[in-house]
Amino acid sequence: MSVSNDFKAEEKRRLCALVIGHKKNSPGAASSDGSISEFVFNEQLAVLIEGKVTQADVQRVYRRTLESLPHDINNLNPDFIISLHCNSFHQKATGTEVLYYHKSERGKGAAAVLQKHLVGHLGLKNRGTKPKNAEERGGYLLKYTKAPCIISEPFFISNNDDLARAQEDFAGLAAACAAAIDEIALDDEISGWKS
């Protein structure tokens, strides 16, 4: 029996930890009428994203406590991390941004990929990618996770127009996130194996 030279060992798929921002009893920001919270929106979004990712494995992560979250994620040994959130300020604030740890070049690269896909789908104001240190909002998670970690803030849940845009093509938003995950997973400079 001979073995074909064309046979290639299947490469291990990269793992994306997909974190649901906030938790059921502390659901984060809410729409102006209080009908939907960050937690509810992003839990539903994560389920759709998981079904659309083709180039990586996805592990959904729920927060027990903020302090334990980096440790819980690190125990999964993911190749990269995306934490799903919604921005909130006042009813006129608008736009899309992605946060990353200011010392992480791989996080910066992942943030740029996700930002491109989110802005391309939603068409909201491009607020850019934003470096954060440990003391800033989101910085604790960004600093204490071992793999590149980014925080998605695709729209302002406090802005009725932003929320309506995110909801009008919810499946499309999930597809944009999934496309970003696939692109990041295939980019060795971002999600390459840890040595």
Side-chain angles (χ1 to χ4, degrees), residues 57-73:
D57 293 325
V58 176
Q59 175 65 56
R60 199 178 330 152
V61 178
Y62 289 88
R63 182 174 96 185
R64 292 183 300 128
T65 66
L66 183 59
E67 294 73 27
S68 69
L69 187 56
H71 176 75
D72 293 345
I73 294 169

mmCIF file of all heavy atoms in Angstrom, residues 57-73:
data_model
loop_
_atom_site.group_PDB
_atom_site.id
_atom_site.type_symbol
_atom_site.label_atom_id
_atom_site.label_comp_id
_atom_site.label_asym_id
_atom_site.label_seq_id
_atom_site.Cartn_x
_atom_site.Cartn_y
_atom_site.Cartn_z
ATOM 1 N N ASP A 57 -12.325 27.563 15.206
ATOM 2 C CA ASP A 57 -13.250 27.063 16.210
ATOM 3 C C ASP A 57 -13.600 28.234 17.123
ATOM 4 O O ASP A 57 -12.750 29.104 17.370
ATOM 5 C CB ASP A 57 -12.616 25.929 17.016
ATOM 6 C CG ASP A 57 -12.369 24.691 16.162
ATOM 7 O OD1 ASP A 57 -13.190 24.419 15.265
ATOM 8 O OD2 ASP A 57 -11.349 24.007 16.387
ATOM 9 N N VAL A 58 -14.826 28.262 17.595
ATOM 10 C CA VAL A 58 -15.290 29.360 18.445
ATOM 11 C C VAL A 58 -15.771 28.781 19.770
ATOM 12 O O VAL A 58 -16.541 27.822 19.790
ATOM 13 C CB VAL A 58 -16.426 30.162 17.769
ATOM 14 C CG1 VAL A 58 -16.959 31.248 18.699
ATOM 15 C CG2 VAL A 58 -15.949 30.767 16.457
ATOM 16 N N GLN A 59 -15.305 29.371 20.859
ATOM 17 C CA GLN A 59 -15.762 28.991 22.196
ATOM 18 C C GLN A 59 -16.409 30.202 22.837
ATOM 19 O O GLN A 59 -15.743 31.211 23.088
ATOM 20 C CB GLN A 59 -14.577 28.526 23.053
ATOM 21 C CG GLN A 59 -14.937 28.231 24.493
ATOM 22 C CD GLN A 59 -15.891 27.062 24.637
ATOM 23 O OE1 GLN A 59 -15.611 25.974 24.179
ATOM 24 N NE2 GLN A 59 -17.027 27.300 25.265
ATOM 25 N N ARG A 60 -17.710 30.115 23.073
ATOM 26 C CA ARG A 60 -18.418 31.216 23.734
ATOM 27 C C ARG A 60 -18.013 31.241 25.202
ATOM 28 O O ARG A 60 -17.928 30.212 25.862
ATOM 29 C CB ARG A 60 -19.918 31.014 23.595
ATOM 30 C CG ARG A 60 -20.718 32.266 23.818
ATOM 31 C CD ARG A 60 -22.203 32.060 23.620
ATOM 32 N NE ARG A 60 -22.542 31.032 22.658
ATOM 33 C CZ ARG A 60 -23.658 30.320 22.700
ATOM 34 N NH1 ARG A 60 -24.556 30.524 23.645
ATOM 35 N NH2 ARG A 60 -23.914 29.403 21.792
ATOM 36 N N VAL A 61 -17.792 32.451 25.742
ATOM 37 C CA VAL A 61 -17.362 32.618 27.131
ATOM 38 C C VAL A 61 -18.313 33.580 27.830
ATOM 39 O O VAL A 61 -18.593 34.668 27.322
ATOM 40 C CB VAL A 61 -15.919 33.173 27.214
ATOM 41 C CG1 VAL A 61 -15.500 33.384 28.662
ATOM 42 C CG2 VAL A 61 -14.935 32.254 26.493
ATOM 43 N N TYR A 62 -18.772 33.169 28.996
ATOM 44 C CA TYR A 62 -19.621 34.019 29.831
ATOM 45 C C TYR A 62 -18.810 34.463 31.039
ATOM 46 O O TYR A 62 -18.003 33.702 31.579
ATOM 47 C CB TYR A 62 -20.865 33.266 30.301
ATOM 48 C CG TYR A 62 -21.845 33.010 29.195
ATOM 49 C CD1 TYR A 62 -21.761 31.870 28.406
ATOM 50 C CD2 TYR A 62 -22.865 33.924 28.933
ATOM 51 C CE1 TYR A 62 -22.667 31.640 27.384
ATOM 52 C CE2 TYR A 62 -23.772 33.698 27.915
ATOM 53 C CZ TYR A 62 -23.671 32.561 27.144
ATOM 54 O OH TYR A 62 -24.567 32.329 26.125
ATOM 55 N N ARG A 63 -19.041 35.684 31.466
ATOM 56 C CA ARG A 63 -18.315 36.249 32.600
ATOM 57 C C ARG A 63 -18.931 35.809 33.922
ATOM 58 O O ARG A 63 -20.124 35.977 34.125
ATOM 59 C CB ARG A 63 -18.341 37.773 32.499
ATOM 60 C CG ARG A 63 -17.570 38.471 33.589
ATOM 61 C CD ARG A 63 -17.534 39.938 33.338
ATOM 62 N NE ARG A 63 -18.583 40.598 34.085
ATOM 63 C CZ ARG A 63 -18.871 41.883 33.995
ATOM 64 N NH1 ARG A 63 -18.229 42.640 33.147
ATOM 65 N NH2 ARG A 63 -19.813 42.401 34.727
ATOM 66 N N ARG A 64 -18.095 35.236 34.795
ATOM 67 C CA ARG A 64 -18.530 34.970 36.170
ATOM 68 C C ARG A 64 -18.348 36.253 36.969
ATOM 69 O O ARG A 64 -19.283 36.783 37.533
ATOM 70 C CB ARG A 64 -17.712 33.839 36.789
ATOM 71 C CG ARG A 64 -17.964 32.487 36.157
ATOM 72 C CD ARG A 64 -17.191 31.371 36.838
ATOM 73 N NE ARG A 64 -15.748 31.577 36.802
ATOM 74 C CZ ARG A 64 -14.945 31.543 37.859
ATOM 75 N NH1 ARG A 64 -15.428 31.294 39.059
ATOM 76 N NH2 ARG A 64 -13.653 31.743 37.739
ATOM 77 N N THR A 65 -17.104 36.746 37.008
ATOM 78 C CA THR A 65 -16.795 38.041 37.603
ATOM 79 C C THR A 65 -15.776 38.712 36.691
ATOM 80 O O THR A 65 -15.059 38.022 35.948
ATOM 81 C CB THR A 65 -16.179 37.918 39.017
ATOM 82 O OG1 THR A 65 -14.895 37.299 38.906
ATOM 83 C CG2 THR A 65 -17.084 37.126 39.955
ATOM 84 N N LEU A 66 -15.673 40.011 36.757
ATOM 85 C CA LEU A 66 -14.684 40.714 35.949
ATOM 86 C C LEU A 66 -13.274 40.269 36.320
ATOM 87 O O LEU A 66 -12.419 40.082 35.457
ATOM 88 C CB LEU A 66 -14.830 42.238 36.137
ATOM 89 C CG LEU A 66 -13.891 43.097 35.296
ATOM 90 C CD1 LEU A 66 -14.083 42.828 33.811
ATOM 91 C CD2 LEU A 66 -14.107 44.564 35.599
ATOM 92 N N GLU A 67 -13.038 40.070 37.622
ATOM 93 C CA GLU A 67 -11.706 39.688 38.091
ATOM 94 C C GLU A 67 -11.295 38.310 37.576
ATOM 95 O O GLU A 67 -10.131 38.069 37.288
ATOM 96 C CB GLU A 67 -11.642 39.705 39.622
ATOM 97 C CG GLU A 67 -11.796 41.082 40.242
ATOM 98 C CD GLU A 67 -13.232 41.644 40.178
ATOM 99 O OE1 GLU A 67 -14.205 40.850 40.133
ATOM 100 O OE2 GLU A 67 -13.373 42.878 40.143
ATOM 101 N N SER A 68 -12.250 37.378 37.470
ATOM 102 C CA SER A 68 -11.922 36.011 37.046
ATOM 103 C C SER A 68 -11.909 35.839 35.524
ATOM 104 O O SER A 68 -11.401 34.831 35.021
ATOM 105 C CB SER A 68 -12.912 35.013 37.650
ATOM 106 O OG SER A 68 -14.200 35.172 37.071
ATOM 107 N N LEU A 69 -12.433 36.803 34.790
ATOM 108 C CA LEU A 69 -12.597 36.630 33.352
ATOM 109 C C LEU A 69 -11.282 36.362 32.613
ATOM 110 O O LEU A 69 -11.213 35.394 31.836
ATOM 111 C CB LEU A 69 -13.343 37.824 32.751
ATOM 112 C CG LEU A 69 -13.723 37.712 31.281
ATOM 113 C CD1 LEU A 69 -14.561 36.465 30.995
ATOM 114 C CD2 LEU A 69 -14.469 38.967 30.831
ATOM 115 N N PRO A 70 -10.211 37.152 32.818
ATOM 116 C CA PRO A 70 -8.970 36.842 32.096
ATOM 117 C C PRO A 70 -8.463 35.419 32.392
ATOM 118 O O PRO A 70 -8.054 34.701 31.475
ATOM 119 C CB PRO A 70 -7.981 37.899 32.594
ATOM 120 C CG PRO A 70 -8.844 39.043 33.013
ATOM 121 C CD PRO A 70 -10.074 38.398 33.589
ATOM 122 N N HIS A 71 -8.531 35.001 33.645
ATOM 123 C CA HIS A 71 -8.083 33.659 34.032
ATOM 124 C C HIS A 71 -8.934 32.588 33.347
ATOM 125 O O HIS A 71 -8.400 31.594 32.819
ATOM 126 C CB HIS A 71 -8.141 33.507 35.559
ATOM 127 C CG HIS A 71 -7.791 32.140 36.041
ATOM 128 N ND1 HIS A 71 -6.493 31.676 36.062
ATOM 129 C CD2 HIS A 71 -8.564 31.129 36.491
ATOM 130 C CE1 HIS A 71 -6.479 30.439 36.512
ATOM 131 N NE2 HIS A 71 -7.734 30.084 36.781
ATOM 132 N N ASP A 72 -10.252 32.772 33.352
ATOM 133 C CA ASP A 72 -11.150 31.807 32.705
ATOM 134 C C ASP A 72 -10.831 31.682 31.214
ATOM 135 O O ASP A 72 -10.821 30.578 30.655
ATOM 136 C CB ASP A 72 -12.613 32.207 32.893
ATOM 137 C CG ASP A 72 -13.080 32.111 34.339
ATOM 138 O OD1 ASP A 72 -12.385 31.478 35.167
ATOM 139 O OD2 ASP A 72 -14.147 32.690 34.654
ATOM 140 N N ILE A 73 -10.582 32.810 30.570
ATOM 141 C CA ILE A 73 -10.251 32.796 29.137
ATOM 142 C C ILE A 73 -8.897 32.150 28.920
ATOM 143 O O ILE A 73 -8.730 31.308 28.025
ATOM 144 C CB ILE A 73 -10.284 34.229 28.559
ATOM 145 C CG1 ILE A 73 -11.709 34.782 28.585
ATOM 146 C CG2 ILE A 73 -9.735 34.234 27.130
ATOM 147 C CD1 ILE A 73 -11.801 36.257 28.287
#
